[in-house]
Coordinates of all heavy atoms in Angstrom, one line a residue:
Chain A
M272 N 140.5 165.1 139.6 CA 139.2 164.4 139.7 C 138.2 165.0 138.9 O 138.1 166.2 138.8 CB 138.8 164.4 141.2 CG 139.0 163.2 141.9 SD 138.1 163.2 143.5 CE 136.5 163.2 142.9
I275 N 135.9 167.6 140.6 CA 136.4 168.9 141.0 C 136.8 169.7 139.8 O 136.8 170.9 139.8 CB 137.7 168.7 141.9 CG1 137.3 167.9 143.2 CG2 138.4 170.0 142.2 CD1 136.4 168.7 144.1
L278 N 134.6 172.6 138.9 CA 134.5 173.9 139.6 C 135.0 175.0 138.7 O 135.9 174.8 137.9 CB 135.5 173.8 140.8 CG 135.2 172.7 141.9 CD1 136.2 172.8 143.0 CD2 133.8 172.9 142.5
S288 N 140.0 191.3 147.4 CA 140.9 190.2 147.0 C 140.2 188.8 147.2 O 140.9 187.8 147.2 CB 142.2 190.2 147.8 OG 141.8 190.2 149.2
I289 N 138.9 188.9 147.4 CA 138.2 187.6 147.6 C 138.0 187.0 146.2 O 137.6 187.6 145.2 CB 136.8 187.9 148.2 CG1 137.0 188.5 149.6 CG2 136.1 186.6 148.3 CD1 135.7 188.9 150.2
V290 N 138.3 185.7 146.1 CA 138.1 184.9 144.9 C 136.9 184.1 145.1 O 136.7 183.4 146.1 CB 139.3 184.0 144.6 CG1 139.0 183.1 143.4 CG2 140.6 184.8 144.4
R291 N 136.0 184.2 144.1 CA 134.7 183.4 144.2 C 134.9 182.1 143.4 O 135.3 182.2 142.2 CB 133.6 184.2 143.6 CG 132.9 185.1 144.7 CD 131.5 185.4 144.3 NE 130.7 185.8 145.5 CZ 129.4 185.7 145.6 NH1 128.7 185.4 144.6 NH2 128.8 186.1 146.7
V292 N 134.4 181.1 143.9 CA 134.4 179.8 143.2 C 133.0 179.2 143.3 O 132.4 179.1 144.3 CB 135.4 178.8 143.9 CG1 135.4 177.5 143.2 CG2 136.8 179.4 143.9
S293 N 132.5 178.8 142.1 CA 131.2 178.2 142.1 C 131.3 176.7 142.2 O 132.1 176.0 141.5 CB 130.4 178.6 140.8 OG 130.1 179.9 140.8
V294 N 130.4 176.1 143.0 CA 130.4 174.6 143.1 C 129.0 174.1 143.1 O 128.1 174.7 143.8 CB 131.1 174.2 144.5 CG1 131.0 172.7 144.6 CG2 132.5 174.7 144.5
A295 N 128.7 173.1 142.4 CA 127.4 172.5 142.4 C 127.4 171.4 143.5 O 128.3 170.5 143.4 CB 127.0 171.9 141.1
P296 N 126.6 171.4 144.5 CA 126.7 170.4 145.6 C 126.5 169.0 145.1 O 127.1 168.1 145.6 CB 125.6 170.8 146.5 CG 124.6 171.6 145.7 CD 125.4 172.3 144.7
Y299 N 129.8 167.0 144.4 CA 130.6 166.2 145.4 C 129.9 165.0 145.8 O 130.5 164.0 146.3 CB 131.1 167.1 146.5 CG 130.5 166.9 147.9 CD1 131.0 166.1 148.8 CD2 129.3 167.6 148.3 CE1 130.5 165.9 150.1 CE2 128.8 167.4 149.5 CZ 129.4 166.6 150.4 OH 128.8 166.4 151.7
F300 N 128.6 164.9 145.6 CA 127.9 163.7 145.9 C 128.1 162.7 144.7 O 127.9 161.5 144.8 CB 126.4 163.9 146.0 CG 126.1 164.4 147.4 CD1 125.7 165.7 147.6 CD2 126.0 163.5 148.4 CE1 125.3 166.2 148.8 CE2 125.7 164.0 149.7 CZ 125.3 165.3 149.9
D303 N 132.3 159.2 144.7 CA 133.1 159.0 145.8 C 134.4 158.3 145.3 O 134.3 157.1 145.0 CB 132.4 158.2 146.9 CG 133.3 158.1 148.2 OD1 134.4 157.7 148.0 OD2 132.7 158.5 149.2
A304 N 135.5 159.0 145.3 CA 136.7 158.4 144.7 C 137.2 157.2 145.4 O 137.7 156.3 144.8 CB 137.8 159.4 144.6
K310 N 127.3 158.1 144.0 CA 126.4 158.5 145.2 C 125.3 159.4 144.6 O 125.5 160.4 144.0 CB 127.2 159.3 146.2 CG 128.2 158.4 147.0 CD 129.0 159.2 147.9 CE 128.2 159.6 149.1 NZ 129.1 160.2 150.2
D311 N 124.1 158.9 144.8 CA 123.0 159.6 144.3 C 122.3 160.4 145.5 O 122.1 159.8 146.5 CB 122.0 158.6 143.7 CG 121.0 159.3 142.8 OD1 120.4 160.3 143.2 OD2 120.7 158.7 141.8
I312 N 122.1 161.7 145.2 CA 121.6 162.5 146.4 C 120.2 162.1 146.7 O 119.8 162.3 147.9 CB 121.7 164.0 146.0 CG1 121.3 164.9 147.2 CG2 120.8 164.3 144.8 CD1 122.2 164.6 148.4
L313 N 119.4 161.6 145.8 CA 118.0 161.3 146.1 C 117.9 160.3 147.2 O 118.6 159.2 147.2 CB 117.3 160.8 144.8 CG 117.0 161.9 143.8 CD1 116.2 161.3 142.6 CD2 116.3 163.0 144.4
G314 N 117.1 160.6 148.2 CA 116.9 159.7 149.3 C 117.9 159.8 150.4 O 117.7 159.2 151.5
R315 N 119.0 160.6 150.2 CA 120.0 160.7 151.3 C 119.7 161.7 152.3 O 120.3 161.7 153.4 CB 121.4 161.0 150.7 CG 121.9 159.8 149.9 CD 123.3 160.0 149.4 NE 123.7 158.8 148.7 CZ 124.3 157.8 149.3 NH1 124.5 157.8 150.6 NH2 124.7 156.7 148.6
L316 N 118.8 162.7 152.0 CA 118.5 163.7 153.0 C 117.4 163.4 153.9 O 117.1 164.0 154.9 CB 118.2 165.0 152.2 CG 119.2 165.6 151.2 CD1 118.8 166.9 150.6 CD2 120.6 165.8 151.9
G317 N 116.6 162.4 153.4 CA 115.4 162.0 154.1 C 115.6 161.2 155.3 O 116.7 161.1 155.9
C318 N 114.5 160.5 155.7 CA 114.5 159.7 156.9 C 115.2 158.4 156.6 O 114.7 157.5 156.0 CB 113.1 159.4 157.3 SG 113.0 158.5 158.9
L319 N 116.4 158.2 157.2 CA 117.2 157.0 157.0 C 117.3 156.2 158.3 O 117.8 155.1 158.3 CB 118.6 157.3 156.5 CG 118.6 158.0 155.1 CD1 120.0 158.3 154.7 CD2 117.9 157.0 154.1
A320 N 116.7 156.8 159.4 CA 116.9 156.1 160.7 C 115.8 155.1 160.9 O 115.9 154.4 161.9 CB 116.8 157.2 161.8
C321 N 114.9 155.1 160.0 CA 113.7 154.3 160.3 C 113.6 152.9 159.7 O 112.7 152.2 160.0 CB 112.4 155.1 159.9 SG 112.6 156.9 160.2
C322 N 114.6 152.6 158.9 CA 114.5 151.3 158.3 C 115.1 150.3 159.2 O 115.8 150.6 160.2 CB 115.3 151.3 156.9 SG 117.0 151.7 157.1
S323 N 114.9 149.0 159.0 CA 115.3 148.0 160.0 C 116.6 147.3 159.5 O 116.9 146.2 160.1 CB 114.2 147.1 160.2 OG 113.8 146.4 159.0
G324 N 117.2 147.8 158.5 CA 118.5 147.1 158.1 C 119.7 147.5 159.0 O 119.5 148.2 159.9
W325 N 120.8 146.9 158.7 CA 122.0 147.3 159.4 C 122.8 148.2 158.5 O 123.2 147.8 157.4 CB 122.8 146.0 159.7 CG 124.1 146.2 160.3 CD1 125.3 146.6 159.7 CD2 124.5 146.1 161.7 NE1 126.3 146.7 160.6 CE2 125.8 146.4 161.8 CE3 123.7 145.7 162.8 CZ2 126.5 146.3 163.1 CZ3 124.4 145.6 164.0 CH2 125.7 146.0 164.1
D326 N 123.1 149.4 159.0 CA 123.7 150.4 158.2 C 125.2 150.2 158.2 O 125.8 150.3 159.2 CB 123.3 151.8 158.8 CG 123.6 153.0 157.9 OD1 124.6 152.9 157.2 OD2 122.9 153.9 158.0
I327 N 125.8 150.0 157.0 CA 127.2 149.8 157.0 C 128.0 150.9 156.4 O 129.2 150.8 156.1 CB 127.6 148.5 156.2 CG1 127.1 148.6 154.7 CG2 127.1 147.3 156.8 CD1 127.8 147.6 153.8
R328 N 127.4 152.1 156.2 CA 128.1 153.2 155.6 C 129.3 153.6 156.4 O 130.4 153.9 155.8 CB 127.1 154.4 155.4 CG 126.1 154.1 154.3 CD 125.1 155.2 154.3 NE 124.3 155.3 155.5 CZ 123.5 156.3 155.8 NH1 123.4 157.3 155.0 NH2 122.9 156.3 157.0
F329 N 129.2 153.6 157.7 CA 130.4 154.0 158.5 C 131.5 153.0 158.3 O 132.7 153.3 158.1 CB 130.0 154.1 159.9 CG 131.2 154.6 160.8 CD1 131.6 155.9 160.8 CD2 131.9 153.7 161.6 CE1 132.6 156.3 161.6 CE2 133.0 154.1 162.3 CZ 133.4 155.4 162.3
Q332 N 133.2 153.5 155.0 CA 133.9 154.8 154.9 C 135.3 154.7 155.6 O 136.3 155.1 155.2 CB 133.1 155.9 155.6 CG 133.8 157.3 155.5 CD 133.9 157.8 154.1 OE1 134.9 158.3 153.7 NE2 132.8 157.7 153.3
R333 N 135.3 154.0 156.8 CA 136.5 154.0 157.6 C 137.5 153.0 157.0 O 138.7 153.0 157.5 CB 136.2 153.6 159.0 CG 135.7 152.2 159.2 CD 135.4 151.9 160.7 NE 136.6 151.9 161.5 CZ 137.4 150.8 161.7 NH1 137.0 149.7 161.1 NH2 138.5 150.9 162.4
I336 N 141.7 155.0 153.7 CA 142.2 156.4 153.7 C 143.5 156.3 152.9 O 144.3 155.4 153.1 CB 142.5 156.9 155.1 CG1 141.2 157.3 155.8 CG2 143.4 158.1 155.1 CD1 140.5 158.5 155.3
V337 N 143.7 157.2 152.0 CA 144.9 157.2 151.2 C 146.1 157.9 151.9 O 145.9 159.0 152.4 CB 144.7 157.9 149.9 CG1 145.9 157.9 149.0 CG2 143.5 157.3 149.1
L341 N 149.9 157.9 148.3 CA 148.7 157.5 147.5 C 148.5 156.0 147.6 O 148.0 155.4 146.6 CB 148.9 157.9 146.0 CG 148.9 159.4 145.8 CD1 149.1 159.7 144.3 CD2 147.7 160.1 146.4
I346 N 142.5 151.9 157.9 CA 142.9 152.7 159.0 C 142.4 152.1 160.3 O 142.6 152.6 161.4 CB 142.3 154.1 158.9 CG1 140.8 154.1 158.8 CG2 143.0 154.8 157.7 CD1 140.2 155.5 158.9
G347 N 141.8 150.9 160.2 CA 141.4 150.3 161.5 C 141.4 148.8 161.4 O 141.5 148.3 160.4
Chain B
P383 N 117.3 154.6 144.7 CA 117.9 155.0 143.4 C 119.1 154.2 143.0 O 119.4 154.0 141.9 CB 118.4 156.5 143.8 CG 117.4 156.9 144.9 CD 117.1 155.7 145.7
Q404 N 109.3 158.2 153.3 CA 110.0 159.2 154.1 C 111.4 159.4 153.7 O 112.0 160.4 154.0 CB 110.0 158.7 155.6 CG 108.7 158.9 156.3 CD 107.7 157.8 156.2 OE1 107.9 156.9 155.4 NE2 106.7 157.8 157.1
H405 N 112.0 158.4 153.0 CA 113.4 158.6 152.4 C 113.4 159.8 151.5 O 114.5 160.5 151.3 CB 113.9 157.4 151.7 CG 114.0 156.2 152.5 ND1 114.5 156.2 153.8 CD2 113.9 154.9 152.2 CE1 114.5 155.0 154.3 NE2 114.2 154.2 153.4
W407 N 111.5 162.6 151.5 CA 111.0 163.9 152.0 C 112.1 164.8 152.4 O 113.2 164.3 152.7 CB 110.1 163.6 153.2 CG 108.9 162.8 153.1 CD1 108.3 162.3 151.9 CD2 108.0 162.4 154.1 NE1 107.2 161.6 152.1 CE2 107.0 161.6 153.5 CE3 108.0 162.5 155.5 CZ2 105.9 161.1 154.2 CZ3 107.0 162.0 156.2 CH2 106.0 161.2 155.6
R426 N 111.2 160.7 139.6 CA 112.0 159.6 139.2 C 111.3 158.2 139.5 O 111.4 157.3 138.7 CB 113.3 159.7 139.9 CG 114.4 159.0 139.2 CD 115.7 159.7 139.5 NE 116.7 158.7 139.9 CZ 117.9 159.0 140.3 NH1 118.2 160.2 140.5 NH2 118.8 158.0 140.6
V439 N 107.9 154.1 156.9 CA 109.0 153.8 157.8 C 109.1 154.9 158.9 O 110.1 155.0 159.6 CB 110.4 153.7 157.1 CG1 110.4 152.5 156.2 CG2 110.7 155.0 156.3
G488 N 115.6 156.4 167.4 CA 116.7 156.1 166.5 C 116.6 154.8 165.7 O 117.4 154.6 164.8
F489 N 115.6 154.0 166.1 CA 115.4 152.7 165.3 C 114.0 152.2 165.7 O 113.5 152.5 166.8 CB 116.5 151.7 165.8 CG 116.8 150.7 164.7 CD1 117.7 151.0 163.7 CD2 116.2 149.4 164.8 CE1 118.0 150.0 162.7 CE2 116.5 148.5 163.8 CZ 117.4 148.8 162.8
L490 N 113.4 151.5 164.8 CA 112.1 150.9 165.0 C 112.3 149.9 166.1 O 113.1 148.9 165.9 CB 111.6 150.3 163.7 CG 111.1 151.3 162.7 CD1 111.0 150.7 161.3 CD2 109.7 151.9 163.1
L597 N 120.9 138.9 162.4 CA 120.3 140.2 162.3 C 119.5 140.3 161.0 O 119.9 139.8 159.9 CB 121.4 141.3 162.2 CG 122.2 141.6 163.4 CD1 123.1 142.8 163.1 CD2 121.4 141.8 164.6
D598 N 118.4 141.0 161.0 CA 117.7 141.4 159.8 C 118.4 142.5 159.1 O 117.9 143.7 159.1 CB 116.2 141.7 160.1 CG 115.4 142.1 158.9 OD1 115.5 141.3 157.9 OD2 114.7 143.1 158.9
A599 N 119.5 142.2 158.5 CA 120.4 143.3 158.1 C 120.1 143.7 156.6 O 120.7 144.7 156.2 CB 121.9 142.8 158.2
D632 N 124.2 149.2 149.5 CA 125.6 149.2 149.9 C 126.2 147.8 150.0 O 127.4 147.6 149.8 CB 125.7 149.9 151.2 CG 125.5 151.4 151.2 OD1 125.8 152.0 150.1 OD2 124.9 152.0 152.1
Y633 N 125.4 146.9 150.3 CA 125.9 145.5 150.5 C 126.2 144.8 149.2 O 127.1 143.9 149.1 CB 124.9 144.6 151.3 CG 124.9 144.9 152.8 CD1 123.9 145.7 153.3 CD2 125.8 144.3 153.6 CE1 123.9 146.0 154.7 CE2 125.8 144.6 155.0 CZ 124.8 145.4 155.5 OH 124.8 145.6 156.8
Q719 N 123.7 148.9 169.0 CA 124.6 148.9 167.9 C 123.9 149.3 166.6 O 124.4 150.0 165.7 CB 125.3 147.5 167.7 CG 126.4 147.5 166.7 CD 127.5 148.6 167.0 OE1 127.8 148.8 168.1 NE2 128.0 149.2 165.9
L720 N 122.6 148.9 166.5 CA 121.9 149.3 165.3 C 121.7 150.8 165.3 O 121.8 151.4 164.2 CB 120.5 148.5 165.3 CG 120.6 147.1 164.9 CD1 119.3 146.3 165.3 CD2 120.8 146.9 163.4
S723 N 124.9 152.3 164.3 CA 125.2 152.2 162.9 C 124.5 153.2 162.1 O 125.1 153.7 161.1 CB 124.9 150.7 162.5 OG 123.5 150.6 162.2
S726 N 126.1 156.8 162.9 CA 127.4 157.0 162.3 C 127.4 157.0 160.8 O 128.1 157.7 160.2 CB 128.4 155.9 162.8 OG 127.9 154.6 162.5
G727 N 126.5 156.2 160.3 CA 126.3 156.2 158.8 C 125.9 157.5 158.3 O 126.4 158.0 157.2
M728 N 124.9 158.2 159.0 CA 124.5 159.5 158.5 C 125.7 160.5 158.5 O 125.8 161.3 157.6 CB 123.4 160.0 159.5 CG 122.1 159.5 159.3 SD 121.0 160.5 160.3 CE 119.5 159.5 160.3
V730 N 129.0 160.0 158.2 CA 130.0 159.8 157.1 C 129.4 160.0 155.8 O 130.1 160.2 154.8 CB 130.7 158.5 157.3 CG1 131.4 158.4 158.6 CG2 129.8 157.3 157.0
D731 N 128.1 159.8 155.7 CA 127.5 159.9 154.3 C 127.3 161.4 153.9 O 127.4 161.7 152.8 CB 126.1 159.2 154.3 CG 125.6 158.9 152.9 OD1 126.5 158.6 152.1 OD2 124.4 159.0 152.7
L732 N 126.9 162.2 154.9 CA 126.5 163.6 154.6 C 127.6 164.6 154.9 O 127.6 165.7 154.4 CB 125.2 164.0 155.2 CG 124.0 163.2 154.7 CD1 122.7 163.7 155.2 CD2 123.9 163.1 153.2
T734 N 131.0 163.8 154.7 CA 132.0 162.9 154.4 C 133.4 163.5 154.5 O 134.3 163.0 155.1 CB 131.8 162.4 152.9 OG1 130.5 162.0 152.7 CG2 132.8 161.3 152.6
R738 N 136.6 162.8 157.2 CA 137.9 162.4 156.7 C 138.9 163.4 157.3 O 140.0 163.0 157.7 CB 138.0 162.3 155.2 CG 137.2 161.2 154.6 CD 137.2 161.2 153.1 NE 136.2 160.3 152.5 CZ 135.9 160.2 151.3 NH1 136.4 161.0 150.4 NH2 135.1 159.3 150.9
L742 N 142.0 162.3 159.7 CA 143.4 162.5 159.2 C 144.1 163.4 160.2 O 145.4 163.2 160.3 CB 143.3 163.1 157.8 CG 142.9 162.2 156.7 CD1 142.6 163.0 155.4 CD2 143.9 161.1 156.4
E746 N 141.3 158.1 164.4 CA 140.0 157.5 164.4 C 139.4 157.5 165.9 O 138.2 157.7 166.0 CB 140.1 156.0 164.0 CG 139.7 155.7 162.6 CD 139.4 154.2 162.4 OE1 140.2 153.4 162.8 OE2 138.3 154.0 162.0
P764 N 115.7 161.5 163.0 CA 115.6 160.5 162.0 C 115.9 161.0 160.6 O 116.2 160.2 159.7 CB 114.2 159.9 162.1 CG 113.4 161.0 162.8 CD 114.4 161.7 163.7
A766 N 118.2 162.6 157.9 CA 119.6 162.6 157.8 C 120.2 164.0 157.8 O 121.2 164.3 158.4 CB 120.1 161.8 156.6
A767 N 119.6 164.8 157.0 CA 120.1 166.2 156.8 C 120.1 167.0 158.1 O 121.0 167.8 158.4 CB 119.4 166.9 155.7
E794 N 129.8 171.7 153.6 CA 129.0 170.5 153.5 C 127.6 170.7 153.9 O 126.6 170.3 153.3 CB 129.6 169.3 154.3 CG 130.9 168.9 153.7 CD 131.4 167.5 154.1 OE1 131.8 167.4 155.3 OE2 131.3 166.6 153.3
L801 N 120.7 171.8 148.3 CA 120.0 170.7 147.7 C 118.6 170.7 148.2 O 117.6 170.3 147.4 CB 120.7 169.4 147.9 CG 122.0 169.2 147.1 CD1 122.8 168.1 147.7 CD2 121.7 168.9 145.7
V816 N 139.5 174.6 146.6 CA 139.6 173.5 145.6 C 140.7 172.5 146.1 O 140.5 171.3 146.1 CB 139.8 174.0 144.2 CG1 140.0 172.8 143.3 CG2 138.6 174.8 143.7
V824 N 139.8 162.5 148.0 CA 140.5 161.2 147.8 C 141.1 160.8 149.1 O 142.0 159.9 149.1 CB 141.6 161.3 146.7 CG1 141.0 161.6 145.3 CG2 142.6 162.4 147.0
G825 N 140.7 161.3 150.2 CA 141.0 160.8 151.5 C 142.4 161.2 152.0 O 143.0 160.4 152.8
R835 N 141.6 184.7 150.7 CA 140.2 184.9 151.0 C 139.4 184.4 149.8 O 139.5 184.9 148.7 CB 139.9 186.4 151.3 CG 140.6 186.9 152.6 CD 140.5 188.4 152.7 NE 139.1 188.8 152.9 CZ 138.6 190.0 152.7 NH1 139.4 191.0 152.4 NH2 137.3 190.3 152.9
Y836 N 138.5 183.5 150.1 CA 137.7 182.8 149.0 C 136.3 182.8 149.5 O 136.0 182.7 150.6 CB 138.2 181.4 148.8 CG 139.6 181.3 148.3 CD1 140.7 181.3 149.1 CD2 139.9 181.3 146.9 CE1 142.0 181.2 148.6 CE2 141.2 181.2 146.4 CZ 142.2 181.2 147.3 OH 143.5 181.2 146.8
E837 N 135.4 182.8 148.5 CA 134.0 182.5 148.7 C 133.6 181.4 147.8 O 133.8 181.5 146.6 CB 133.2 183.8 148.3 CG 133.2 184.9 149.4 CD 132.4 186.1 149.0 OE1 131.9 186.1 147.8 OE2 132.2 187.0 149.8
V838 N 133.1 180.4 148.3 CA 132.5 179.3 147.6 C 131.0 179.5 147.4 O 130.3 179.5 148.4 CB 132.8 177.9 148.2 CG1 132.1 176.8 147.5 CG2 134.3 177.7 148.3
V839 N 130.6 179.6 146.2 CA 129.2 179.8 145.9 C 128.6 178.4 145.6 O 129.0 177.7 144.6 CB 128.9 180.7 144.7 CG1 127.5 180.8 144.4 CG2 129.6 182.0 144.9
V840 N 127.9 177.9 146.5 CA 127.3 176.5 146.4 C 126.0 176.7 145.6 O 125.0 177.3 146.1 CB 127.0 175.9 147.7 CG1 126.5 174.5 147.5 CG2 128.3 175.8 148.5
Q841 N 126.0 176.1 144.4 CA 124.8 176.3 143.5 C 124.0 175.0 143.5 O 124.6 173.9 143.3 CB 125.2 176.6 142.1 CG 125.9 178.0 142.1 CD 126.6 178.2 140.7 OE1 127.0 177.3 140.0 NE2 126.6 179.5 140.3

Side-chain angles (χ1 to χ4, degrees):
Chain A
M272 256 193 69
I275 297 296
L278 301 179
S288 58
I289 298 173
V290 175
R291 271 203 160 201
V292 179
S293 290
V294 178
Y299 110 92
F300 279 106
D303 184 308
K310 288 176 74 167
D311 198 313
I312 186 58
L313 288 184
R315 290 186 179 273
L316 304 183
C318 181
L319 297 177
C321 322
C322 61
S323 61
W325 177 281
D326 195 325
I327 59 163
R328 289 173 297 169
F329 183 78
Q332 183 64 227
R333 68 181 290 275
I336 286 286
V337 179
L341 296 181
I346 58 171
Chain B
Q404 282 90 346
H405 295 326
W407 297 354
R426 203 149 132 187
V439 292
F489 208 81
L490 287 160
L597 295 190
D598 181 43
D632 291 328
Y633 282 100
Q719 191 53 40
L720 284 164
S723 77
S726 60
M728 280 191 194
V730 300
D731 198 37
L732 296 190
T734 313
R738 292 175 188 172
L742 289 166
E746 261 201 305
E794 292 198 288
L801 287 162
V816 174
V824 294
R835 293 175 64 195
Y836 297 86
E837 285 180 350
V838 172
V839 181
V840 183
Q841 296 171 326

